[in-house]
Structures are given as structure tokens and as C-alpha cells.
Amino acid sequence: DQQVKQNSPSLSVQEGRISILNCDYTNSMFDYFLWYKKYPAEGPTFLISISSIKDKNEDGRFTVFLNKSAKHLSLHIVPSQPGDSAVYFCAASAEGGGADGLTFGKGTHLIIQP
Amino acid sequence: KAGVTQTPRYLIKTRGQQVTLSCSPISGHRSVSWYQQTPGQGLQFLFEYFSETQRNKGNFPGRFSGRQFSNSRSEMNVSTLELGDSALYLCASSLGGRVADTQYFGPGTRLTVL
């Protein structure tokens, strides 16, 4: 049973436009969410996180939105740059009582086209 | 600060053998988590160590074990290797106070079981 789902395996966006990556979760115990970026042959790199007490968190070109009622979060990248081409993982944790570490989605491969 | 380091980077073993992977966390980080990444299952949590004690464990068989030393370095052991154990094994370190602390990943060890 996949508790964190990224339904788009890949996404192609033109340079300079907005990239929107989506993530859905099923476990209502999740209360902390993170996005990681991964290049080939490297480990995931932390991008941005959001606590369930917020609905938006911004860091430069990256903004994460959380809709708790829909159990949905999204990562917006504006403007998209060629270096953003990578696999993006959504992750969740249940800080209050979970003992399962981070639960990851299967990733979305973002391709930024010139 | 140096990042998370993992050794070896690549490893080839045969079925039935055992393997030990090593992870050195970022200086000052007391928590080390291990993940397995495969194309089919994505990133899956194996276990987490904090102050030399296993604090959290994922849903993996007992063939997967680990330990943490007093300097926070961690090792992961897989006994009686199976073909399905072929994967990228990632180690992540964090300050360790909470599950939601930002985890910083190493580059991973690519294990191939023949």
C-alpha cells in the first residue's frame, strides 16, 4: 500500500515557465512533508519542507503548498531553470507517533527544455 | 563541513554471501538512517540509529541489520544475499532530535547481487 504517491513519473517544462510537481498521501498521521531532488549517481538533496500547521512555505524559487483536507501537496518552481532537471521525491513523516522514518513517493522526473 | 560519506560506492556480491556497508554522518549529527532504493519500490526506510541504539525500523527481514558506533558512524549488514537485494543503499544523517529533522543523504552504495 503506497502511502505517498507521485502519479506523474515524468514532467517536461519549458525553461522560464512554472514547474508544478504533485504529491498525494493517504496516511492522516503524516504531519511533516519534505521535497528532495536527486541527480543521477548522487544521494537526494533536501529542497524544502512544510509542517502540517502551515499551508505554504517559500524558499527562493521553490514554494510548497499543502492542502490537508485533500491530502495533497505540490511543489512549484518559478522560473524553471535547466539545472532543475532531476528526479523530485516527495516524503512524509508522522513526527508525533510514527516509527517508520521518512516515507517517500516514487519520484517525478522533471525535464526542463530550453 | 564534510557531507555524508558512504563506502564502498559500488559492490558486487553473489547470492548467499553477506555484505557490510559503512556510513559516516555529518559531524555533529547523531542520527543515521538507512534506505533502500530500487526501480520498482522507490526509496524504502530500513532503520534509524540514534546514540548507538536502533530507534526506528522499517518493514525488512531480519537479514538486514545495522549498528552505530560511539562516533555516530554506522554500518549496515545484509546476510544471505538474494538477487532482490540488488539496489542503491542510501544513508542519511540528521541532528537527531526528531524524525522531522532535515536528513542529509550520502551518495549511496550500489550493491549488485549475482
Side-chain angles (χ1 to χ4, degrees), chain B residues 93-111:
Chain B
S93 77
S94 66
L95 286 169
R98 305 167 304 154
V99 171
D101 280 339
T102 300
Q103 295 190 19
Y104 297 88
F105 284 81
T109 294
R110 172 72 63 184
L111 172 65

Side-chain angles (χ1 to χ4, degrees), chain A residues 35-97:
Chain A
W35 284 94
Y36 282 84
K37 172 180 175 179
K38 187 178 186 298
Y39 293 119
E42 294 183 13
T45 303
F46 170 74
L47 266 179
I48 192 168
S49 62
I50 188 166
S51 164
S52 60
I53 62 173
K54 293 186 173 182
D55 54 18
K56 177 182 173 181
N57 190 23
E58 219 170 325
D59 184 2
R61 296 186 298 115
F62 302 92
T63 303
V64 56
F65 295 92
L66 175 63
N67 183 333
K68 280 181 63 180
S69 60
K71 293 192 175 70
H72 177 84
L73 64 154
S74 61
L75 174 69
H76 292 212
I77 306 173
V78 183
S80 300
Q81 297 174 355
D84 296 331
S85 294
V87 177
Y88 289 78
F89 291 95
C90 168
S93 73
E95 183 181 357

Side-chain angles (χ1 to χ4, degrees), chain A residues 1-2 4 12 14 18 20-22 31 50-51 54 57 76 83 86 90 92-93 96 102 107-109 111:
Chain A
D1 176 33
Q2 214 182 329
V4 176
S12 185
Q14 218 169 1
I18 181 171
I20 300 176
L21 295 97
N22 293 304
D31 55 9
I50 188 166
S51 164
K54 293 186 173 182
N57 190 23
H76 292 212
C90 168
S93 73
L102 288 175
T108 296
H109 186 192
I111 302 160

Side-chain angles (χ1 to χ4, degrees), chain B residues 3-67:
Chain B
V4 178
T5 58
Q6 291 187 246
T7 56
R9 291 293 309 277
Y10 302 91
L11 207 46
I12 299 175
K13 292 284 188 179
T14 56
R15 276 182 300 173
Q17 286 187 309
Q18 73 156 14
V19 67
T20 300
L21 313 181
S22 181
C23 172
S24 293
I26 291 171
S27 177
H29 285 193
R30 296 168 65 193
S31 169
V32 173
S33 297
W34 289 89
Y35 293 84
Q36 181 195 65
Q37 185 183 15
T38 57
Q41 298 299 319
L43 269 156
Q44 291 186 288
F45 172 71
L46 280 155
F47 30 63
E48 184 228 357
Y49 285 86
F50 178 77
S51 292
E52 302 178 65
T53 301
Q54 187 181 88
R55 188 162 65 171
N56 296 312
K57 189 178 190 307
N59 190 23
F60 277 81
R63 298 185 298 107
F64 292 82
S65 63
R67 59 178 176 168

